[in-house]
Amino acid sequence: GNSVTQMEGPVTLSEEAFLTINCTYTATGYPSLFWYVQYPGEGLQLLLKATKADDKGSNKGFEATYRKETTSFHLEKGSVQVSDSAVYFCALTRQGGSEKLVFGKGTKLTVNP
Amino acid sequence: DTEVTQTPKHLVMGMTNKKSLKCEQHMGHRAMYWYKQKAKKPPELMFVYSYEKLSINESVPSRFSPECPNSSLLNLHLHALQPEDSALYLCASSLLRGTDTQYFGPGTRLTVL
């Protein structure tokens, strides 16, 4: 079946540090891949997505590249801010298949000033 | 605009109460979803509506009753809930069932006493 594995954290960084949150997936066919972010006390916001191999999603300084050869979609940001503190979820859905979003367990990021 | 709205933001109810959660989107999306999220966990799918018809029920207890009166509105009727039903309830929508990007609302924080 389809599954997503992401580093669970928590991850604690200082402001302006480099961020990587690893995400790997198992899926049949050609999934679409997503990163969602959940700020404290809020719902999920779509951060970025990629729908085919070698696509790079980017938003608000965050980037992730769809790597089919390594089945990965790692989230990166060059310089994190305190306002980036949140829980980040990697997720997939399979094109033409079930509409169920398959989530990783989430990674809590805390950025200290 | 990719906005999904949910009301109320917070809800406290007793086990004998009947209450409803409301979700609205005006993006022309024809698929709408209810998710349940417990603390420190990813969201779990409950129901999927496509063109105002229920297409997926993830074996949710009958004390949760979804309703989709029109293409913009999704309700979740609650009756005789248990304390373990306390959670964040998230609504999401996508253009069509089976298409990739789901957009989430801010959620309703439910507490069952």
Side-chain angles (χ1 to χ4, degrees):
Chain A
N2 300 331
S3 66
V4 174
T5 302
Q6 63 177 106
M7 57 189 286
E8 291 187 31
V11 175
T12 302
L13 295 173
S14 298
E15 207 164 23
E16 299 184 2
F18 184 85
L19 169 70
T20 300
I21 301 177
N22 290 337
C23 172
T24 57
Y25 68 89
T26 302
T28 55
Y30 300 94
S32 293
L33 301 173
F34 306 87
W35 278 101
Y36 284 90
V37 59
Q38 188 170 33
Y39 298 102
E42 297 186 11
L44 272 68
Q45 296 179 24
L46 177 67
L47 182 59
L48 53 84
K49 70 175 186 179
T51 57
K52 60 183 188 296
D54 300 325
D55 267 2
K56 178 186 279 190
S58 62
N59 186 25
K60 299 181 181 179
F62 291 90
E63 292 183 342
T65 301
Y66 189 142
R67 301 282 188 204
K68 195 162 178 62
E69 64 275 15
T70 54
T71 63
S72 65
F73 192 55
H74 304 321
L75 183 69
E76 296 182 337
K77 186 176 185 183
S79 176
V80 293
Q81 306 300 312
V82 172
S83 57
D84 294 325
S85 298
V87 178
Y88 292 81
F89 291 98
C90 185
L92 69 81
T93 187
R94 190 167 66 83
Q95 293 281 9
S98 166
E99 52 273 273
K100 182 184 290 192
L101 265 175
V102 178
F103 287 96
K105 292 185 176 181
T107 302
K108 183 176 181 180
L109 170 66
T110 300
V111 180
N112 295 317
Chain B
D1 187 13
T2 55
E3 188 176 27
V4 176
T5 60
Q6 290 187 244
T7 54
K9 191 170 175 61
H10 299 278
L11 179 62
V12 179
M13 60 186 291
M15 289 189 284
T16 58
N17 292 156
K18 287 185 181 181
K19 297 285 185 183
S20 297
L21 311 184
K22 179 180 171 182
C23 171
E24 204 158 2
Q25 57 86 15
H26 296 288
M27 297 179 279
H29 289 178
R30 303 314 298 266
M32 297 185 77
Y33 311 78
W34 279 115
Y35 287 83
K36 174 182 178 179
Q37 186 181 24
K38 300 285 276 185
K40 300 185 180 181
K41 298 288 186 182
E44 298 174 1
L45 183 66
M46 300 174 72
F47 303 104
V48 180
Y49 272 83
S50 177
Y51 287 91
E52 296 103 69
K53 287 185 168 46
L54 182 65
S55 60
I56 291 182
N57 176 341
E58 290 282 312
S59 302
V60 178
S62 60
R63 57 186 184 268
F64 295 91
S65 175
E67 178 197 21
C68 190
N70 59 58
S71 61
S72 300
L73 189 57
L74 184 67
N75 297 320
L76 185 63
H77 303 297
L78 314 172
H79 174 56
L81 294 192
Q82 304 297 309
E84 59 265 28
D85 296 322
S86 298
L88 181 68
Y89 288 84
L90 294 164
C91 175
S93 70
S94 64
L95 184 59
L96 296 171
R97 175 186 167 184
T99 55
D100 54 1
T101 308
Q102 293 184 25
Y103 296 93
F104 285 80
T108 293
R109 176 76 59 189
L110 174 67
T111 302
V112 182
L113 300 177

